[in-house]
Amino acid sequence: MTLTRFHSLVCRIRLPIHVFTVALLILLNGCTSNGPSCKRLFELTWSQHSPLQQDVTLLSSAKFEGRKTGTQGAELTRKFLISRMQSIGLQPWNNTYQHPFEYDYQFDTRQGVNIIGVLNATQTTQDWRVVVAHYDHLGKKGSRLYPGADDNASGIAAMLAMAAHASTQPRPVNILFVATDAEEPGLFGGKALVDQLKLEQSNPNSTQIELTVNLDMVGHPGRPYSIYVEGRRNFTQFDAIQQRLEQTVGLCVRANHPPEAGRTTQRVDWLRASDHYPFHQAQIPWLYFGVPPHADYHQPTDSANKLDYNFLAAVAESAYELLIIDSYLLKK
């Protein structure tokens, strides 16, 4: 019931003014007692719409040909990513930004390339956190271009924004920023990354990965106006983590994804839906940020003008908190 209809009803039945006042307070309190209101005005402090929009617009432009693995568009994307990482101040991981890998797909052996940059902690530590966003998409099919603005230029733009801000701030842990390849055909970039990390952890001076943050489709919110987060079962203090995220800029955080629009049963297997799954298999703690599938998902209409850059900026600032949050909140 709207307030206008409520006021009209009260006037018709001629309630005393003090009764009307009490009833109005009850109505207003009732509107705010069912959890956080998913507002659209955020208290942003460092993220800006313009660079996020520029990155998404460029990556989803025809020049990048939909960024399909193994194409010229993917090669251009890698050059862009390396240039941006260098300008931000990220260092190459194991002396190189490019980490090629092979994978079997459709009775053929193919090659992908992950792009990885590092920000070391302010003080020496063996603790690491990882930020992942896949840069590949569907490419071109005949004359049809699949731009992949939300999927997943949005995640790449958010990751680059987080890296740029982290480079200017004290860092309690080492941070690995990874743009994965070949996610669309089967999470192959994520699997290759986890295999490399396992080798790193087998060394005598073992690194400790406290958390992986996966950003995949974070620019096209639906209703409610929220970012959805998977992985709460990895953390005994997830409620405190969720509260920290929501308090950052006022972004509404919903744990677990909803069913697809218009369907009564969940059809998307969110655990296996993106590059967090190989981390899950390796028992590395993870959180996955994303929005539900929308009408432009995997369509030629997934273009830069469809994204909400105010929302994308809020996601970047909120997810950044996971790079500086106290380690004790991340314990199982």
Side-chain angles (χ1 to χ4, degrees):
M1 180 185 295
T2 66
L3 290 180
T4 301
R5 291 182 60 192
F6 179 80
H7 178 268
S8 175
L9 175 62
V10 170
C11 290
R12 286 201 303 271
I13 61 178
R14 298 181 180 180
L15 286 175
I17 186 63
H18 71 279
V19 176
F20 170 75
T21 302
V22 172
L24 179 59
L25 288 174
I26 292 173
L27 175 64
L28 291 175
N29 287 335
C31 290
T32 59
S33 63
N34 295 323
S37 59
C38 297
K39 59 185 180 181
R40 295 172 179 264
L41 296 176
F42 306 118
E43 299 173 2
L44 302 173
T45 59
W46 56 262
S47 60
Q48 299 179 3
H49 299 182
S50 180
L52 289 166
Q53 187 168 4
Q54 288 175 5
D55 285 346
V56 171
T57 300
L58 179 64
L59 288 169
S60 59
S61 66
K63 177 181 177 180
F64 286 76
E65 299 179 344
R67 309 184 308 279
K68 186 174 182 178
T69 301
T71 65
Q72 183 179 355
E75 183 178 352
L76 287 174
T77 305
R78 290 193 291 274
K79 291 179 179 178
F80 164 78
L81 290 169
I82 292 171
S83 176
R84 285 296 306 278
M85 287 185 175
Q86 290 174 331
S87 66
I88 289 170
L90 272 63
Q91 300 301 309
W93 188 47
N94 293 336
N95 300 315
T96 179
Y97 291 103
Q98 299 198 60
H99 294 263
F101 59 91
E102 291 186 345
Y103 64 98
D104 294 328
Y105 183 69
Q106 294 183 343
F107 307 104
D108 192 13
T109 299
R110 305 188 183 189
Q111 186 174 83
V113 184
N114 291 336
I115 305 298
I116 307 178
V118 178
L119 279 178
N120 289 317
T122 306
Q123 298 181 350
T124 303
T125 177
Q126 293 299 316
D127 294 333
W128 288 78
R129 296 178 193 175
V130 183
V131 184
V132 175
H134 76 89
Y135 70 86
D136 67 299
H137 192 55
L138 303 181
K140 298 176 69 175
K141 298 180 181 179
S143 61
R144 304 180 76 187
L145 172 68
Y146 291 77
D150 193 30
D151 187 15
N152 185 36
S154 66
I156 291 292
M159 182 179 72
L160 292 174
M162 292 166 62
H165 185 64
S167 70
T168 67
Q169 303 296 313
R171 296 177 294 277
V173 296
N174 306 296
I175 310 172
L176 210 64
F177 293 93
V178 187
T180 55
D181 195 6
E183 187 271 353
E184 295 288 359
L187 316 183
F188 294 110
K191 293 173 183 176
L193 172 62
V194 168
D195 287 343
Q196 287 182 294
L197 291 172
K198 285 180 179 178
L199 291 175
E200 293 286 323
Q201 290 182 304
S202 66
N203 293 333
N205 297 321
S206 178
T207 59
Q208 175 65 38
I209 301 176
E210 296 183 325
L211 173 68
T212 295
V213 178
N214 181 25
L215 306 168
D216 191 354
M217 293 178 60
V218 290
H220 196 312
R223 296 182 181 180
Y225 195 71
S226 310
I227 190 67
Y228 287 85
V229 177
E230 279 282 342
R232 65 179 302 159
R233 295 181 182 88
N234 297 317
F235 308 95
T236 57
Q237 300 191 66
F238 180 82
D239 289 345
I241 296 172
Q242 182 176 359
Q243 184 179 32
R244 173 75 173 268
L245 295 177
E246 290 187 324
Q247 290 175 343
T248 302
V249 299
L251 176 65
C252 192
V253 175
R254 302 279 176 163
N256 301 320
H257 279 61
E260 291 181 81
R263 299 187 184 275
T264 56
T265 59
Q266 185 120 338
R267 298 189 62 190
V268 178
D269 183 353
W270 294 109
L271 177 60
R272 296 170 175 80
S274 187
D275 280 326
H276 54 275
Y277 183 56
F279 289 89
H280 175 83
Q281 291 178 303
Q283 298 184 337
I284 297 173
W286 55 272
L287 287 172
Y288 162 41
F289 286 66
V291 299
H294 44 75
D296 301 305
Y297 170 65
H298 279 192
Q299 297 298 320
T301 53
D302 184 12
S303 54
N305 65 319
K306 296 289 186 71
L307 269 58
D308 184 330
Y309 295 97
N310 181 55
F311 180 85
L312 182 55
V315 171
E317 287 208 23
S318 300
Y320 172 79
E321 290 298 305
L322 294 172
L323 304 185
I324 60 174
I325 199 169
D326 291 335
S327 295
Y328 77 89
L329 289 176
L330 302 177
K331 302 299 182 183
K332 286 190 175 183

